Amino acid sequence: MADAPRKLLEVRELTMDFGGLRAVDSVTLEVCENEIVALIGPNGAGKTTFFNCVTGIYKPTRGEIMVHPPGGQSRKINGFKPNRVTEMGMARTFQNIRLFQNMTVLENVMIGRHCRTRTSILGAIMRSPGVTREERETIDRAYALLEKVGLVDFADEFAKNLPYGAQRRLEIARAMATDPFLLLLDEPAAGMNPQETRELDELIVRIGKEEGIAILLIEHDMKLVMNISDRIYVMEYGKKIAKGTPQEIRSNPKVIEAYLGEGEEDA
Amino acid sequence: MMASMKRSILVALWFVFLTFPLMVVRVNTLKNTVEWRWLNMVWVFVGAFVLHNLWRWALDKRQKSRKKAELEDGAEADLHIGQRLLQEPKLYRPFLLGLAVVALLFPWVLDVYQVNIMVLALIFVVLGLGLNITVGLAGLLDLGYVAFFAVGAYSYALINQHFPALGFWSCLPIGGLIGAFFGIVLGFPILRLRGDYLAIVTLGFGSIAKIVIENWEEFTSGAKGIANIPRPGLFGIDMSIEGATIYTYYLMVLMVLFTIFVTNRLKDSRIGRAWMALREDEIACVAMGVDMARTKLSAYALGAFWAGAVGVMFAARNTYINPNSFTFMESAIVLSIVVLGGMGSIVGVIIAALVLILMPEYLRAFADYRMLVFGAVMVLMMIFRPQGLIANVRKTYAYRRAERGENHG
Amino acid sequence: MDYFLELFCSGLTRGSIYALIALGYTMVYGIIQLINFAHGEIYMIGAFVALIVAGVLTIYGFSGFSILILAMLIAMIYAAAYGYTLEKIAYQPLRNAPRLSPLISAIGASLFLQNYVLLAQTPDFLPFPQLVPDFAFMEPIAHIIGSSELVILVTSAISMVALTLLIKYTRMGKAMRATQQDMVMARLVGINVDRVISVTFIIGSVLAAIGGVLVGSYIGQINFYIGFMAGVKAFTAAVLGGIGNIPGAALGGLVLGLAESMAAGYISSAYEDVFAFGVLVLILILRPAGLLGKAVKQKV
């Protein structure tokens, strides 16, 4: 990284309290253009809560979330509704898959286009040529994304009928349909077998490097994290305890202690 | 075999016990007499015995089909006959044609009474299609839907009292718009409520609407209602009652067609997809960039629009309205139409509305048991066929690599 | 002043009935997150059974107090049986269904039970015998609080205390609390969750029946439709207090009863029901967790 990379997301001292419990404690984090950043830490470290704050599902107690969209105006997005955050250009997936079960795979992706299309109620009823064109574009975009994640053959299936790994990839395709500049993936490899994880690995790198979409991911699969991340942040008990390149993190005593102390992760 | 027999007998005896005081005994507390209806006891026993066997058989079948679905990669491979019919133009085109002929000839073959009932059934078709937007597509359980129906009916009646110049044709869209307006106004405060709270609040709104209409006598004439509401006009031509009924019938047919056209287009559009996504998972839906408030309000408004518009039609058909046409019962009937037909399914809702409204009219014996059956139908449908008689078939879109071509799957 | 006291007492009476019914809603909601729409119908069936039993016993020459006890007991037994059967048929098969399904099933069950009573008995109002005698010692204050009202207050208080003790100190109570916290975990540690749910329905139904019998005797007439309004109001009370919260239901019932009574006495009785709904809507919008409830964040 010779020339100073352009920042996309800048989180400063983010804190989130639930009643007396401090789930996220003054965490500072940033993601730059073309970066794949991982957020790791033992279960219950507050990673998902951090995600929920950034994507507007929770309103953080304190701290500042700044977004610098490429070619757009920088904004502080604290307290924005989730759909506004997505419109700004940050899309996410969920740890416990949240697909639209009784809609087809294609329709799931088409929902992602919602905030990038304009058809109104009257327009939908009239179906003017403009509306038809927009609809066509939505379909084409959705298919293109399904091709990218290898799900074209399942386009007409109900989402609930997909195998587990395919559901995770569908979540990624759906998020990408919103044209994000930053993709937030919450444990994308959870519950996948090694083969699926390898494929996912490739997919994420492809999205990151070829499409130029920055990625922030929460992940427990250390092999995946070490393989693809440019930088890693480590959280424990709501606090950030380390940051650095994969090499630095591997040898960071605090991190080793956090994981060995928990005694459950294969770092 | 013996064991299941014994079980059925025990269950039957349990129901005999359960129903004993209510079904067998009838007390007249004024004259101090008791009537013992022992025969009912026998019926309960036999009925419970048979029903229990059916129940077990159906539950078994449900269990098996679920297992099968899991084994076969979850795909519901065998489409319902109704669905197959819908997907094959060669099959459904002649069917539609036949239906059109029947609909056109109907008033010339049967007498005014029948036509009048048919108009009522068609009104419920539109109500069902409207509520289908709110409940079936957007997943917002509305138990006070009848309030919007009442708003439409009273708009027409009152506008006609105060500004008779406006006439039926301007009132039709006005009624719809007032309905939609109320949908938005009532929708606003309850945007944040979860499904079950929403149900009870809308139930409250429905009841409030009726109580207000009953008690606000200066404005709504209260319980005595409003009479002499004009029927729909046709260039000021005077029509006999018979002619007017037939005319209303054709208008209603047109209105149903229009409703189908609009709801169908909405369903397969950006708007309709957002509604469904909201139904499926609210959090994922907003996280994908869908504005929850706007989507919910639009679902309410459009559902209410149809209720309001068809309310005008209802007032014009009856020429008299009073609060008793707008009770929770009506909301429940419309809801059972949507549930029976299949949430989100337009064809299903139409069939269900026709069956549920016409059946009690023609099977007089059945009329008394109507609400009993509706209640049972709602429970049974949820357990055995939650997708309704005719499940909503999702539209499919053709894949084109670079260029052209869409078709309907 | 007497007028105010009279309103106050009738408000308390009303409120304690709401509280009795609200307990059933709150307990069921706490455990399976379902608004048991048919709960009001159980209350109505309790009242009907009591009416029938009382009628038959009167004809066979039983006397005042024994009628009250027997009618109450049998009504409780029947309400429990109906509550149990209702859960087994309409809710248990839907344990893992989407959220809307059991709710619609509940509405269906409510319609069914209403019309079942309508068809099996009568669509008209039936006069309900006065089961509670007029106590002589109440004579001096009878214009403020009647004997029936006193009995209602005392009975409700006893029932609620009994319920609280049951939940706090018995094995079943512990199992209920555990199931309310986390159904999956409760099952893992060996609690028979189906049984806990059945017991919850039974207890709720018994309380509703007590309410039904007392109200029938107090108001003097019943019909198949009384469960609907009572159910909605009791649910309002449960939400007001914080749904899933047992002291909350009691408090919510009393607050709603008093508020309604005052509004009816000082403003207008025509809009009494509108008032209850208005309270419900306001509470849900302003403080959805209720007076005593805690706000629960949805897990994402």
Side-chain angles (χ1 to χ4, degrees):
Chain A
M1 283 177 225
D3 48 331
R6 200 176 165 286
K7 282 177 193 158
L8 293 175
L9 172 69
E10 217 180 340
V11 181
R12 278 188 227 122
E13 300 189 351
L14 187 83
T15 300
M16 180 74 212
D17 293 339
F18 292 115
L21 180 80
R22 181 152 291 186
V24 177
D25 190 354
S26 196
V27 172
T28 297
L29 172 153
E30 57 198 40
V31 182
C32 300
E33 239 166 6
N34 295 319
E35 248 191 337
I36 298 179
V37 178
L39 181 58
I40 64 171
N43 284 327
K47 301 171 307 247
T48 296
T49 307
F50 179 82
F51 257 39
N52 286 340
C53 287
V54 171
T55 52
I57 288 174
Y58 297 157
K59 193 167 183 242
T61 316
R62 258 205 321 279
E64 199 170 65
I65 308 165
M66 292 294 296
V67 174
H68 314 286
Q73 223 179 356
S74 298
R75 295 198 74 161
K76 183 175 161 191
I77 61 160
N78 292 41
F80 270 36
K81 293 221 174 80
N83 55 302
R84 291 278 292 120
V85 175
T86 309
E87 264 174 62
M88 294 279 298
M90 305 203 306
R92 69 172 293 177
T93 66
F94 293 91
Q95 181 181 356
N96 43 344
I97 302 173
R98 301 188 86 119
L99 289 169
F100 308 122
Q101 304 279 349
N102 292 304
M103 294 172 77
T104 67
V105 167
L106 188 72
E107 282 175 321
N108 266 275
V109 184
M110 286 164 86
I111 287 292
R113 297 300 301 157
H114 187 91
C115 59
R116 302 291 171 227
T117 45
R118 294 276 75 94
T119 301
S120 64
I121 293 171
L122 271 183
I125 297 170
M126 304 297 198
R127 270 198 202 157
S128 64
V131 169
T132 315
R133 195 176 334 113
E134 189 179 83
E135 185 79 359
R136 194 61 244 178
E137 278 164 16
T138 304
I139 297 164
D140 290 346
R141 267 305 294 277
Y143 264 119
L145 284 165
L146 283 184
E147 189 152 33
K148 238 167 235 161
V149 298
L151 288 175
V152 171
D153 294 340
F154 296 102
D156 298 337
E157 288 285 345
F158 278 126
K160 65 179 173 193
N161 294 337
L162 286 187
Y164 195 76
Q167 295 203 359
R168 289 229 173 263
R169 277 180 291 152
L170 177 55
E171 275 221 333
I172 296 178
R174 185 178 67 175
M176 282 177 65
T178 64
D179 288 342
F181 59 80
L182 174 63
L183 202 54
L184 298 102
L185 307 177
D186 195 347
E187 294 197 29
M192 284 188 168
N193 63 34
Q195 164 72 22
E196 287 174 323
T197 308
R198 243 188 333 273
E199 283 168 19
L200 182 78
D201 183 327
E202 282 165 30
L203 178 65
I204 295 177
V205 171
R206 210 157 10 109
I207 294 169
K209 299 305 167 196
E210 288 172 21
E211 314 259 329
I213 299 175
I215 288 168
L216 175 60
L217 85 159
I218 295 177
E219 189 46 71
H220 278 302
D221 188 317
M222 281 307 136
K223 215 171 125 220
L224 180 101
V225 169
M226 293 300 167
N227 265 345
I228 65 175
S229 313
D230 298 314
R231 287 188 302 121
I232 298 174
Y233 289 84
V234 190
M235 277 177 79
E236 193 193 14
Y237 298 123
K239 289 200 177 73
K240 184 175 85 182
I241 55 167
K243 69 168 185 177
T245 62
Q247 287 78 11
E248 289 164 3
I249 294 298
R250 228 190 285 265
S251 53
N252 186 320
K254 265 193 190 161
V255 178
I256 294 169
E257 194 196 336
Y259 273 95
L260 290 182
E262 282 275 319
E264 57 165 39
E265 295 294 338
D266 48 336
Chain B
M1 194 60 207
M2 262 329 269
S4 86
M5 187 77 165
K6 209 171 131 193
R7 209 178 139 69
S8 291
I9 290 176
L10 281 177
V11 168
L13 285 175
W14 172 253
F15 275 93
V16 166
F17 161 74
L18 264 189
T19 53
F20 176 75
L22 289 161
M23 294 282 287
V24 177
V25 192
R26 178 139 62 185
V27 196
N28 188 327
T29 38
L30 290 180
K31 289 191 214 136
N32 270 348
T33 53
V34 193
E35 180 190 345
W36 300 89
R37 298 168 293 174
W38 296 108
L39 197 58
N40 280 351
M41 199 175 204
V42 180
W43 289 125
V44 168
F45 183 84
V46 175
F49 184 84
V50 173
L51 287 177
H52 178 247
N53 280 307
L54 275 176
W55 171 263
R56 288 247 308 251
W57 171 80
L59 272 184
D60 250 25
K61 216 178 128 205
R62 180 177 90 147
Q63 199 72 29
K64 273 186 199 136
S65 74
R66 280 206 184 148
K67 283 228 177 76
K68 202 171 111 201
E70 265 165 36
L71 289 178
E72 288 172 4
D73 209 5
E76 283 160 58
D78 52 333
L79 278 178
H80 203 254
I81 302 171
Q83 289 164 16
R84 220 174 289 156
L85 194 72
L86 290 176
Q87 289 178 336
E88 195 58 62
K90 268 192 202 132
L91 287 174
Y92 75 70
R93 290 231 169 98
F95 177 73
L96 278 184
L97 198 72
L99 204 66
V101 171
V102 170
L104 276 177
L105 292 182
F106 187 80
W108 307 107
V109 180
L110 295 164
D111 60 30
V112 178
Y113 174 75
Q114 319 276 357
V115 176
N116 222 346
I117 289 173
M118 197 62 190
V119 172
L120 185 69
L122 292 176
I123 286 174
F124 272 88
V125 169
V126 175
L127 283 174
L129 288 171
L131 187 64
N132 194 28
I133 293 177
T134 322
V135 178
L137 292 179
L140 305 163
L141 187 52
D142 186 346
L143 297 181
Y145 191 60
V146 73
F148 306 124
F149 187 47
V151 162
Y154 271 90
S155 311
Y156 180 46
L158 291 172
I159 290 176
N160 181 64
Q161 267 185 353
H162 300 290
F163 315 96
L166 274 173
F168 173 80
W169 286 106
S170 0
C171 285
L172 195 60
I174 292 176
L177 290 176
I178 295 181
F181 172 75
F182 271 85
I184 292 175
V185 168
L186 298 187
F188 245 112
I190 54 183
L191 278 177
R192 283 173 20 214
L193 297 185
R194 276 205 325 261
D196 31 18
Y197 281 3
L198 192 72
I200 203 107
V201 171
T202 49
L203 174 73
F205 283 154
S207 312
I208 289 177
K210 183 174 179 257
I211 296 170
V212 169
I213 292 175
E214 260 172 1
N215 288 297
W216 195 1
E217 295 200 2
E218 313 85 82
F219 187 59
T220 64
S221 312
K224 62 179 190 295
I226 302 175
N228 295 325
I229 303 166
R231 295 173 192 276
L234 179 67
F235 308 117
I237 301 169
D238 267 339
M239 277 184 280
S240 63
I241 290 187
E242 190 167 318
T245 309
I246 292 174
Y247 177 56
T248 314
Y249 167 80
Y250 282 125
L251 285 185
M252 223 28 244
V253 171
L254 283 181
M255 185 161 178
V256 167
L257 290 177
F258 183 63
T259 316
I260 295 171
F261 172 80
V262 171
T263 44
N264 197 35
R265 284 207 154 176
L266 282 172
K267 192 173 86 151
D268 294 320
S269 75
R270 171 175 178 268
I271 309 289
R273 282 192 299 269
W275 287 337
M276 281 185 278
L278 194 72
R279 173 190 73 192
E280 294 295 314
D281 189 328
E282 201 168 305
I283 288 180
C285 180
V286 290
M288 288 308 118
V290 177
D291 187 328
M292 181 192 72
R294 196 182 278 210
T295 309
K296 272 193 186 173
L297 287 179
S298 66
Y300 267 116
L302 275 156
F305 176 85
W306 295 113
V310 84
V312 173
M313 211 63 189
F314 178 75
R317 166 199 181 258
N318 286 17
T319 69
Y320 167 74
I321 50 171
N322 73 2
N324 287 333
S325 309
F326 310 102
T327 63
F328 173 66
M329 252 349 121
E330 276 69 33
S331 290
I333 292 174
V334 183
L335 182 65
S336 41
I337 286 172
V338 176
V339 169
L340 182 68
M343 297 218 211
S345 155
I346 290 176
V347 182
V349 166
I350 295 168
I351 295 174
L354 291 179
V355 169
L356 289 189
I357 302 302
L358 294 182
M359 200 152 73
E361 295 293 342
Y362 289 110
L363 292 172
R364 274 287 153 201
F366 172 76
D368 288 343
Y369 297 90
R370 172 160 96 145
M371 292 316 291
L372 187 82
V373 172
F374 284 6
V377 158
M378 279 159 93
V379 175
L380 294 177
M381 289 302 283
M382 282 301 113
I383 296 171
F384 296 112
R385 210 175 153 76
Q387 71 274 41
L389 286 181
I390 299 194
N392 181 20
V393 183
R394 281 316 301 148
K395 192 178 164 77
T396 57
Y397 303 88
Y399 180 31
R400 52 171 205 183
R401 252 159 224 286
E403 76 239 5
R404 64 166 291 103
E406 171 190 358
N407 74 4
H408 306 241
Chain C
M1 193 60 202
D2 271 5
Y3 184 57
F4 172 79
L5 278 180
E6 192 190 326
L7 287 180
F8 186 79
C9 290
S10 84
L12 274 189
T13 312
R14 220 186 251 243
S16 50
I17 297 291
Y18 293 158
L20 275 181
I21 312 174
L23 288 170
Y25 278 111
T26 253
M27 285 165 60
V28 167
Y29 195 93
I31 287 185
I32 54 175
Q33 280 78 49
L34 165 78
I35 298 178
N36 177 12
F37 260 96
H39 190 57
E41 269 53 65
I42 300 287
Y43 154 92
M44 176 267 294
I45 286 174
F48 257 94
V49 170
L51 170 84
I52 289 163
V53 171
V56 171
L57 291 181
T58 314
I59 289 163
Y60 287 95
F62 282 71
S63 67
F65 215 64
S66 60
I67 294 183
L68 172 63
I69 300 291
L70 276 174
M72 181 72 97
L73 267 180
I74 296 177
M76 282 157 70
I77 292 171
Y78 266 97
Y82 271 93
Y84 172 84
T85 313
L86 169 73
E87 195 272 328
K88 283 279 175 265
I89 292 180
Y91 305 143
Q92 200 187 54
L94 295 170
R95 218 31 74 66
N96 298 315
R99 222 182 149 86
L100 221 49
S101 297
L103 202 55
I104 291 174
S105 179
I107 295 162
S110 161
L111 278 180
F112 181 88
L113 288 175
Q114 266 177 32
N115 286 277
Y116 154 69
V117 173
L118 182 155
L119 292 167
Q121 290 289 317
T122 165
D124 306 320
F125 270 99
L126 285 177
F128 200 100
Q130 190 192 350
L131 297 177
V132 180
D134 287 323
F135 302 122
F137 67 85
M138 293 290 290
E139 206 66 56
I141 49 167
H143 60 289
I144 293 171
I145 178 167
S147 303
S148 292
E149 291 178 310
L150 184 73
V151 170
I152 290 177
L153 287 177
V154 172
T155 317
S156 325
I158 293 173
S159 312
M160 278 181 248
V161 170
L163 177 67
T164 312
L165 294 178
L166 181 117
I167 287 176
K168 214 157 190 174
Y169 294 112
T170 63
R171 240 178 104 77
M172 190 33 99
K174 254 185 216 158
M176 284 165 81
R177 277 182 288 151
T179 311
Q180 171 156 13
Q181 292 277 321
D182 189 336
M183 194 188 284
V184 179
M185 200 57 209
R187 193 170 271 143
L188 283 179
V189 297
I191 293 173
N192 184 343
V193 170
D194 281 337
R195 180 126 127 249
V196 171
I197 294 171
S198 288
V199 171
T200 310
F201 270 87
I202 289 173
I203 295 176
S205 303
V206 167
L207 293 173
I210 297 176
V213 178
L214 293 175
V215 167
S217 156
Y218 173 51
I219 309 257
Q221 57 173 8
I222 57 171
N223 77 347
F224 71 97
Y225 203 58
I226 56 166
F228 181 75
M229 253 309 149
V232 171
K233 293 206 178 150
F235 179 77
T236 306
V239 172
L240 187 61
I243 195 140
N245 183 318
I246 288 176
L251 179 68
L254 291 181
V255 170
L256 183 70
L258 280 174
E260 242 184 50
S261 175
M262 294 298 159
Y266 288 114
I267 305 169
S268 151
S269 59
Y271 287 97
E272 193 183 298
D273 295 339
V274 173
F275 182 77
F277 282 123
V279 169
L280 176 66
V281 174
L282 278 182
I283 284 290
L284 284 177
I285 293 161
L286 300 177
R287 194 175 155 77
L291 296 173
L292 299 184
K294 284 198 203 92
V296 187
K297 278 265 179 202
Q298 197 180 357
K299 186 125 175 74
V300 181

